[in-house]
Amino acid sequence: MTIRLSILTSTALAAAMPAFAEEMAFDRIASFPVARNSDGAAESSAEIIAATTDGMTLVYSDSPLGAIGMVDITDPAAPAPLGHIEVGGEPTAVSVLERTAFVAVDTSESYTDPSGVVTSYGMDGTQGATCDLGGQPDSTAIAPDGSFIAIAVENERDEEAGDGRVGQMPGGTLAIVDIADAALDCASLRFADLTGLAEIAPEDPEPEFVDVNDAGEIVVTLQENNHIAIVGADGTVLSHFSAGTVSLDGIDASDDGALVFDENLSDIPREPDGVQWIDADHVAIANEGDMDGGTRGWSVMDRDGNVVWDSGATFEHALVEVGHYPDARSDAKGVEPEGMEFATFGGTPYVFILAERASAVGVYDVTDPANPVLAQILPSGIAPEGAVAIPERNLLVTANESDLGADGGARSHVMIYEYREGAPSYPHLTSAGADRLIGWSALSGLAADPERPGIFRVVNDSFFGAQPTIFTIDATQVPARITDATVVTRNGNPAQKLDIEGIAPDGEGGHWLASEGRTDRLIPHAIYRVDATGEITEEVAFPPELLAHETRYGAEGIAMVDGRLWIAMQRDWADDAENMVKLVSYDLESEEWGAVLYERAAPEAGWVGLSEITVHGEHVYLIERDNQIGAAAAIKRITRVPVSEMVPAPLGGALPVVGHEVAMDLLPALAATGGYVVDKVEGLAFDADGNAWIVTDNDGVDDSSGETLLLNLGPL
């Protein structure tokens, strides 16, 4: 079996970085579900992450468990659980010196009565000194020489009060505590007065993130105040300045089920969250935005407050190109850069920007702080919050806080990347290099060009109900490229009420599309024929004999065999016996409907259904999968039925059951990416050279890691 893992490029770096792909790159080598550090039943979350000085143990804050968790990465490709330590409140941050963890813990009773501490713990759980901070802490940073720890005491605002605006008293501050022999010296606790600095709510500073440079200078963001301060180790404010505003062109600011990047925002406060020193004179800030729309990028500022570089919309555009744009957040903060890390690998300084809503990491070469260069985009778990670089071991680690385990979704994960020789393996698919910015996501059905090897058409599903689209993929390139996007239209306008799950060539330059209906959303169960321009030229509704037993789990694929269309139904309808699902046929000449039955596997958990149908040689191939993710995934496979058995019987009577066999177990291929096994393998096609390809659905980056896998499985 051959799996093709593709090299990332984007419009910003396609021409600029050919040597990077041939020399050194970051590549994910492992993922660790943090539920392994507990019984797995309760919600758990990796938020802020640090590493012991020797780089062998990871420590992360776990807010839902009220604990810090630990991971053994002696073998980084096989991370192992070390359990967790309860900390007596909500941990908001953790920093590590040698093998001692310094944990900021929120013990607040209310927004108006905040409280918190910083406490040290050995890796064996031994508790050291506890210093009362007098307020609710947020982030922490230890001086590079280990002499002190800085804690942003945010005293965060109540987002439900006063329209969520500052000021809301009490105001925040910056705490500094000396460290001696890896122990806190609480008697040295001192505070930096940050009031009166910002133009926005100067009486209520809300420090968010801190970092310390080699000179012992602390940079701190005051996010809601849109301000930045540089503070000495003694608590003296050395300088301060506004983070300023940014204007964005070519963005999608409307949550409307369409990816259209033709809107603008003007003079939006940056409202930075993460901050890192990148040299003695420059800091990088992640401009999450918070209250005023979101600025969707990041900036480099000098220590005097001058903006020397700003990403504008380019970072978000790069994420659009690799399918990680979260359209549901268009009217909020877009990709939402939040956390960040800085480190030097192989002599090159890098800034790592964590896009929380895009679930991806931008890797920027900042050799020239005035001209950062996007080198890669890395796939992450859902909602990356924290990162730690371990350059001595050529490792980068992210903590991804979202835990959807209670709903059968992905768990919170720690993900590990190695800086190594060779081409990066992600993304598998990009629209970079097209003649315009093409947004794409939520891919479902896949069809091969019958004449040109490596050329495909793929459709998106109802997540983009306002913009049903057929994308052209050129997989002869690495990574595969989306070269065109054709909107499906009805009377010249984007067709509404479609949930396209399957596509098949019609033999005349157009395609047949299968739409999964859902009556409660007024989406009909139907098949559609479109011409080469995407215009619907024929619509065929499912017959009454079929619709009489309707459920929402309808058409998930379409294929043509000898003048007959075959539609794979995802799951059992009301008239089907248990574990039986219909393969429905439509004779294009006689317009007669029929069906056969396929016996799907019984699920170990959740459900099992079909998600694609295609034809190759003497067999009809199907994707049979469960809806489980990660370690819980058990059934992801390609099966096949001899074409000779595909003899339909009329609907309404007894239907024949076809035999099938497993052609390939997909779990090894899905696990080969270093991430967790995704649930939605949605597309399957054989190209003109006979290679089998699959594509996965990323659910529009909504409660999803955003990863789309496009894998060449070779001949079956």
Side-chain angles (χ1 to χ4, degrees):
M1 178 178 70
T2 300
I3 301 172
R4 176 174 295 174
L5 301 180
S6 303
I7 302 170
L8 169 92
T9 54
S10 78
T11 298
L13 64 113
M17 294 299 294
F20 185 94
E22 296 173 1
E23 296 176 359
M24 300 292 291
F26 293 91
D27 216 12
R28 186 173 56 193
I29 58 173
S31 60
F32 176 86
V34 299
R36 290 181 62 192
N37 265 331
S38 62
D39 62 10
E43 179 185 0
S44 59
S45 173
E47 187 173 2
I48 303 301
I49 194 161
T52 54
T53 302
D54 63 7
M56 297 297 177
T57 304
L58 301 173
V59 184
Y60 60 86
S61 61
D62 190 329
S63 177
L65 284 185
I68 55 171
M70 296 167 292
V71 185
D72 181 356
I73 57 167
T74 303
D75 179 357
L82 292 174
H84 66 269
I85 302 168
E86 295 183 1
V87 297
E90 179 188 359
T92 57
V94 60
S95 296
V96 178
L97 180 62
E98 300 297 340
R99 292 188 61 80
T100 300
F102 298 86
V103 188
V105 182
D106 181 6
T107 59
S108 302
E109 294 186 2
S110 68
Y111 292 106
T112 56
D113 187 20
S115 62
V117 299
V118 60
T119 304
S120 64
Y121 293 90
M123 296 295 100
D124 60 357
T126 303
Q127 183 174 342
T130 295
C131 306
D132 187 349
L133 298 172
Q136 170 260 325
D138 196 340
S139 71
T140 60
I142 294 176
D145 64 3
S147 61
F148 68 84
I149 184 171
I151 307 107
V153 181
E154 182 179 10
N155 292 341
E156 64 182 350
R157 74 198 190 286
D158 181 353
E159 295 185 14
E160 301 300 320
D163 198 28
R165 296 274 174 172
V166 288
Q168 295 181 27
M169 305 307 289
T173 186
L174 176 68
I176 306 165
V177 184
D178 288 342
I179 298 173
D181 298 324
L184 291 167
D185 176 12
C186 294
S188 70
L189 174 64
R190 53 203 178 272
F191 295 94
D193 183 3
L194 302 177
T195 60
L197 304 182
E199 294 182 6
I200 299 171
E203 77 287 357
D204 179 26
E206 286 206 19
E208 189 79 25
F209 209 95
V210 291
D211 191 40
V212 187
N213 66 12
D214 289 338
E217 298 170 319
I218 305 161
V219 62
V220 55
T221 56
L222 284 63
Q223 183 174 25
E224 283 72 32
N225 311 90
N226 196 39
H227 211 74
I228 297 170
I230 298 175
V231 180
D234 62 355
T236 301
V237 176
L238 303 176
S239 65
H240 64 92
F241 41 85
S242 170
T245 63
V246 65
S247 296
L248 301 174
D249 296 323
I251 66 168
D252 185 348
S254 303
D255 177 14
D256 55 4
L259 294 172
V260 179
F261 301 93
D262 61 359
E263 297 178 84
N264 306 312
L265 291 175
S266 299
D267 299 323
I268 306 299
R270 288 188 171 90
E271 296 180 328
D273 191 324
V275 63
Q276 293 279 296
W277 288 98
I278 58 177
D279 60 28
D281 299 311
H282 297 91
V283 296
I285 53 175
N287 302 322
E288 179 189 18
D290 199 13
M291 298 181 291
D292 294 293
T295 45
R296 306 175 186 228
W298 69 286
S299 310
V300 178
M301 304 184 77
D302 67 22
R303 61 185 304 122
D304 297 320
N306 300 304
V307 177
V308 301
W309 181 85
D310 188 274
S311 67
T314 61
F315 179 47
E316 187 163 87
H317 286 178
L319 291 165
V320 168
E321 289 174 339
V322 296
H324 276 259
Y325 180 74
D327 184 59
R329 298 291 296 176
S330 291
D331 59 344
K333 292 181 277 189
V335 298
E336 203 166 318
E338 183 172 0
M340 66 191 316
E341 174 66 310
F342 168 81
T344 298
F345 287 82
T348 301
Y350 291 105
V351 166
F352 304 91
I353 304 294
L354 311 184
E356 181 179 11
R357 298 293 179 168
S359 294
V361 181
V363 181
Y364 282 83
D365 177 341
V366 289
T367 300
D368 179 0
N371 186 34
V373 176
L374 178 62
Q376 284 183 261
I377 291 177
L378 302 176
S380 191
I382 305 175
E385 180 76 12
V388 61
I390 312 173
E392 298 81 7
R393 299 191 66 199
N394 279 335
L395 299 177
L396 172 73
V397 181
T398 63
N400 305 277
E401 66 176 332
S402 181
D403 186 3
L404 304 174
D407 299 321
R411 305 306 301 261
S412 172
H413 278 73
V414 167
M415 294 201 169
I416 303 171
Y417 312 82
E418 185 177 31
Y419 184 65
R420 60 189 184 185
E421 292 183 357
S425 63
Y426 195 83
H428 299 179
L429 183 62
T430 177
S431 64
D435 59 3
R436 64 192 186 282
L437 181 63
I438 297 177
W440 61 273
S441 191
L443 304 183
S444 50
L446 184 69
D449 187 301
E451 303 295 334
R452 297 182 293 167
I455 305 300
F456 299 90
R457 304 294 189 276
V458 65
V459 291
N460 57 12
D461 64 21
S462 63
F463 192 91
F464 296 101
Q467 192 185 43
T469 303
I470 302 171
F471 300 96
T472 300
I473 295 175
D474 179 357
T476 65
Q477 306 181 59
V478 180
R481 300 296 183 114
I482 291 179
T483 59
D484 198 10
T486 301
V487 176
V488 177
T489 57
R490 183 185 282 114
N491 298 322
N493 299 309
Q496 305 296 308
K497 304 303 179 184
L498 298 182
D499 180 8
I500 307 173
E501 296 287 352
I503 179 171
D506 69 355
E508 299 179 16
H511 291 88
W512 282 98
L513 309 177
S515 179
E516 182 179 20
R518 187 164 176 179
T519 299
D520 61 340
R521 296 183 181 177
L522 302 179
I523 301 175
H525 294 277
I527 55 177
Y528 301 86
R529 192 174 192 174
V530 297
D531 62 21
T533 70
E535 176 72 11
I536 294 175
T537 60
E538 188 174 351
E539 179 174 346
V540 183
F542 279 13
E545 300 93 323
L546 191 59
L547 293 176
H549 309 285
E550 171 193 3
T551 72
R552 55 171 286 196
Y553 307 106
E556 280 284 324
I558 190 168
M560 185 184 293
V561 182
D562 298 330
R564 186 185 298 273
L565 294 173
W566 284 95
I567 302 105
M569 307 299 281
Q570 185 187 70
R571 290 162 63 183
D572 320 359
W573 277 25
D575 59 334
D576 293 323
E578 185 178 8
N579 297 331
M580 291 291 181
V581 62
K582 292 186 185 74
L583 304 178
V584 177
S585 76
Y586 177 70
D587 190 303
L588 291 171
E589 183 175 351
S590 68
E591 300 183 353
E592 294 177 340
W593 290 86
V596 297
L597 290 175
Y598 175 101
E599 185 175 8
R600 61 173 176 79
E604 297 181 17
W607 53 259
V608 171
L610 303 179
S611 59
E612 179 67 292
I613 184 171
T614 192
V615 182
H616 180 62
E618 300 301 315
H619 290 87
V620 170
Y621 288 82
L622 303 113
I623 292 176
E624 185 176 2
R625 67 169 181 88
D626 58 20
N627 66 334
Q628 302 299 294
I629 288 176
I635 300 173
K636 315 284 186 191
R637 60 196 189 189
I638 298 172
T639 66
R640 65 184 183 187
V641 178
V643 170
S644 60
E645 290 197 28
M646 301 289 286
V647 181
L651 296 170
L655 300 176
V657 179
V658 296
H660 66 271
E661 62 181 353
V662 175
M664 177 177 285
D665 179 5
L666 295 175
L667 286 172
L670 297 173
T673 66
Y676 55 82
V677 173
V678 297
D679 58 334
K680 292 190 174 181
V681 188
E682 292 282 295
L684 167 67
F686 290 82
D687 70 10
D689 281 342
N691 295 308
W693 293 71
I694 58 171
V695 70
T696 63
D697 176 1
N698 72 359
D699 278 334
V701 205
D702 191 17
D703 287 340
S704 164
S705 69
E707 294 181 44
T708 296
L709 309 184
L710 178 66
L711 301 178
N712 180 359
L713 306 176
L716 292 189

